[in-house]
PDB file of all heavy atoms in Angstrom:
ATOM      1  N   ALA G1366     -30.247  37.580  13.618  1.00  0.00           N
ATOM      2  CA  ALA G1366     -30.858  37.667  14.950  1.00  0.00           C
ATOM      3  C   ALA G1366     -30.153  36.775  15.970  1.00  0.00           C
ATOM      4  O   ALA G1366     -30.571  36.694  17.119  1.00  0.00           O
ATOM      5  CB  ALA G1366     -32.326  37.271  14.848  1.00  0.00           C
ATOM      6  N   LEU G1367     -29.101  36.131  15.558  1.00  0.00           N
ATOM      7  CA  LEU G1367     -28.492  35.123  16.420  1.00  0.00           C
ATOM      8  C   LEU G1367     -28.062  35.691  17.792  1.00  0.00           C
ATOM      9  O   LEU G1367     -28.311  35.075  18.829  1.00  0.00           O
ATOM     10  CB  LEU G1367     -27.282  34.503  15.701  1.00  0.00           C
ATOM     11  CG  LEU G1367     -26.543  33.438  16.493  1.00  0.00           C
ATOM     12  CD1 LEU G1367     -27.446  32.278  16.872  1.00  0.00           C
ATOM     13  CD2 LEU G1367     -25.354  32.889  15.681  1.00  0.00           C
ATOM     14  N   GLU G1368     -27.453  36.862  17.761  1.00  0.00           N
ATOM     15  CA  GLU G1368     -26.970  37.393  19.038  1.00  0.00           C
ATOM     16  C   GLU G1368     -28.139  37.651  19.978  1.00  0.00           C
ATOM     17  O   GLU G1368     -28.036  37.448  21.188  1.00  0.00           O
ATOM     18  CB  GLU G1368     -26.141  38.668  18.813  1.00  0.00           C
ATOM     19  CG  GLU G1368     -24.804  38.416  18.110  1.00  0.00           C
ATOM     20  CD  GLU G1368     -24.026  37.231  18.675  1.00  0.00           C
ATOM     21  OE1 GLU G1368     -23.928  37.104  19.910  1.00  0.00           O
ATOM     22  OE2 GLU G1368     -23.547  36.392  17.868  1.00  0.00           O
ATOM     23  N   ASP G1369     -29.261  38.091  19.432  1.00  0.00           N
ATOM     24  CA  ASP G1369     -30.449  38.307  20.279  1.00  0.00           C
ATOM     25  C   ASP G1369     -30.921  36.990  20.875  1.00  0.00           C
ATOM     26  O   ASP G1369     -31.324  36.910  22.030  1.00  0.00           O
ATOM     27  CB  ASP G1369     -31.577  38.946  19.454  1.00  0.00           C
ATOM     28  CG  ASP G1369     -31.317  40.444  19.259  1.00  0.00           C
ATOM     29  OD1 ASP G1369     -30.231  40.904  19.692  1.00  0.00           O
ATOM     30  OD2 ASP G1369     -32.175  41.135  18.694  1.00  0.00           O
ATOM     31  N   TRP G1370     -30.848  35.952  20.066  1.00  0.00           N
ATOM     32  CA  TRP G1370     -31.247  34.633  20.567  1.00  0.00           C
ATOM     33  C   TRP G1370     -30.331  34.195  21.705  1.00  0.00           C
ATOM     34  O   TRP G1370     -30.774  33.635  22.691  1.00  0.00           O
ATOM     35  CB  TRP G1370     -31.184  33.598  19.441  1.00  0.00           C
ATOM     36  CG  TRP G1370     -32.415  33.592  18.584  1.00  0.00           C
ATOM     37  CD1 TRP G1370     -32.626  34.330  17.486  1.00  0.00           C
ATOM     38  CD2 TRP G1370     -33.583  32.801  18.794  1.00  0.00           C
ATOM     39  NE1 TRP G1370     -33.853  34.058  16.959  1.00  0.00           N
ATOM     40  CE2 TRP G1370     -34.471  33.115  17.751  1.00  0.00           C
ATOM     41  CE3 TRP G1370     -33.981  31.874  19.752  1.00  0.00           C
ATOM     42  CZ2 TRP G1370     -35.734  32.522  17.632  1.00  0.00           C
ATOM     43  CZ3 TRP G1370     -35.232  31.284  19.628  1.00  0.00           C
ATOM     44  CH2 TRP G1370     -36.093  31.607  18.588  1.00  0.00           C
ATOM     45  N   ARG G1371     -29.072  34.505  21.531  1.00  0.00           N
ATOM     46  CA  ARG G1371     -28.128  34.096  22.579  1.00  0.00           C
ATOM     47  C   ARG G1371     -28.439  34.849  23.883  1.00  0.00           C
ATOM     48  O   ARG G1371     -28.372  34.279  24.970  1.00  0.00           O
ATOM     49  CB  ARG G1371     -26.700  34.401  22.146  1.00  0.00           C
ATOM     50  CG  ARG G1371     -26.193  33.451  21.092  1.00  0.00           C
ATOM     51  CD  ARG G1371     -24.673  33.356  21.185  1.00  0.00           C
ATOM     52  NE  ARG G1371     -24.018  33.695  19.928  1.00  0.00           N
ATOM     53  CZ  ARG G1371     -23.721  32.823  18.976  1.00  0.00           C
ATOM     54  NH1 ARG G1371     -24.052  31.569  19.116  1.00  0.00           N
ATOM     55  NH2 ARG G1371     -23.105  33.214  17.872  1.00  0.00           N
ATOM     56  N   SER G1372     -28.822  36.129  23.731  1.00  0.00           N
ATOM     57  CA  SER G1372     -29.192  36.888  24.931  1.00  0.00           C
ATOM     58  C   SER G1372     -30.380  36.221  25.606  1.00  0.00           C
ATOM     59  O   SER G1372     -30.443  36.105  26.829  1.00  0.00           O
ATOM     60  CB  SER G1372     -29.570  38.319  24.561  1.00  0.00           C
ATOM     61  OG  SER G1372     -28.530  38.904  23.844  1.00  0.00           O
ATOM     62  N   MET G1373     -31.305  35.781  24.802  1.00  0.00           N
ATOM     63  CA  MET G1373     -32.478  35.116  25.347  1.00  0.00           C
ATOM     64  C   MET G1373     -32.061  33.848  26.098  1.00  0.00           C
ATOM     65  O   MET G1373     -32.512  33.588  27.221  1.00  0.00           O
ATOM     66  CB  MET G1373     -33.433  34.787  24.195  1.00  0.00           C
ATOM     67  CG  MET G1373     -34.728  34.149  24.594  1.00  0.00           C
ATOM     68  SD  MET G1373     -34.614  32.365  24.526  1.00  0.00           S
ATOM     69  CE  MET G1373     -34.983  32.077  22.824  1.00  0.00           C
ATOM     70  N   VAL G1374     -31.152  33.075  25.478  1.00  0.00           N
ATOM     71  CA  VAL G1374     -30.731  31.823  26.102  1.00  0.00           C
ATOM     72  C   VAL G1374     -30.043  32.108  27.438  1.00  0.00           C
ATOM     73  O   VAL G1374     -30.268  31.405  28.428  1.00  0.00           O
ATOM     74  CB  VAL G1374     -29.775  31.037  25.170  1.00  0.00           C
ATOM     75  CG1 VAL G1374     -29.229  29.798  25.880  1.00  0.00           C
ATOM     76  CG2 VAL G1374     -30.490  30.637  23.898  1.00  0.00           C
ATOM     77  N   ASP G1375     -29.249  33.159  27.465  1.00  0.00           N
ATOM     78  CA  ASP G1375     -28.536  33.476  28.703  1.00  0.00           C
ATOM     79  C   ASP G1375     -29.493  33.741  29.863  1.00  0.00           C
ATOM     80  O   ASP G1375     -29.149  33.529  31.023  1.00  0.00           O
ATOM     81  CB  ASP G1375     -27.635  34.704  28.496  1.00  0.00           C
ATOM     82  CG  ASP G1375     -26.426  34.342  27.665  1.00  0.00           C
ATOM     83  OD1 ASP G1375     -26.167  33.126  27.509  1.00  0.00           O
ATOM     84  OD2 ASP G1375     -25.759  35.259  27.141  1.00  0.00           O
ATOM     85  N   VAL G1376     -30.665  34.222  29.537  1.00  0.00           N
ATOM     86  CA  VAL G1376     -31.637  34.466  30.600  1.00  0.00           C
ATOM     87  C   VAL G1376     -32.253  33.140  31.072  1.00  0.00           C
ATOM     88  O   VAL G1376     -32.531  32.941  32.254  1.00  0.00           O
ATOM     89  CB  VAL G1376     -32.739  35.428  30.120  1.00  0.00           C
ATOM     90  CG1 VAL G1376     -33.700  35.771  31.266  1.00  0.00           C
ATOM     91  CG2 VAL G1376     -32.124  36.713  29.580  1.00  0.00           C
ATOM     92  N   LEU G1377     -32.396  32.231  30.132  1.00  0.00           N
ATOM     93  CA  LEU G1377     -33.055  30.970  30.484  1.00  0.00           C
ATOM     94  C   LEU G1377     -32.096  29.951  31.115  1.00  0.00           C
ATOM     95  O   LEU G1377     -32.490  29.185  31.996  1.00  0.00           O
ATOM     96  CB  LEU G1377     -33.676  30.345  29.229  1.00  0.00           C
ATOM     97  CG  LEU G1377     -34.923  31.044  28.680  1.00  0.00           C
ATOM     98  CD1 LEU G1377     -35.268  30.499  27.307  1.00  0.00           C
ATOM     99  CD2 LEU G1377     -36.110  30.855  29.624  1.00  0.00           C
ATOM    100  N   LEU G1378     -30.869  29.931  30.639  1.00  0.00           N
ATOM    101  CA  LEU G1378     -29.942  28.891  31.092  1.00  0.00           C
ATOM    102  C   LEU G1378     -28.754  29.485  31.831  1.00  0.00           C
ATOM    103  O   LEU G1378     -28.346  30.619  31.552  1.00  0.00           O
ATOM    104  CB  LEU G1378     -29.400  28.092  29.896  1.00  0.00           C
ATOM    105  CG  LEU G1378     -30.385  27.357  29.006  1.00  0.00           C
ATOM    106  CD1 LEU G1378     -29.624  26.585  27.932  1.00  0.00           C
ATOM    107  CD2 LEU G1378     -31.250  26.388  29.802  1.00  0.00           C
ATOM    108  N   THR G1379     -28.204  28.689  32.741  1.00  0.00           N
ATOM    109  CA  THR G1379     -26.969  29.111  33.401  1.00  0.00           C
ATOM    110  C   THR G1379     -25.796  28.907  32.434  1.00  0.00           C
ATOM    111  O   THR G1379     -25.969  28.326  31.356  1.00  0.00           O
ATOM    112  CB  THR G1379     -26.691  28.249  34.650  1.00  0.00           C
ATOM    113  OG1 THR G1379     -26.481  26.915  34.197  1.00  0.00           O
ATOM    114  CG2 THR G1379     -27.837  28.309  35.645  1.00  0.00           C
TER     115      THR G1379
END
Side-chain angles (χ1 to χ4, degrees):
Chain G
L1367 180 59
E1368 291 314 315
D1369 282 5
W1370 277 89
R1371 286 207 237 270
S1372 305
M1373 183 267 275
V1374 174
D1375 286 345
V1376 184
L1377 288 169
L1378 300 183
T1379 64

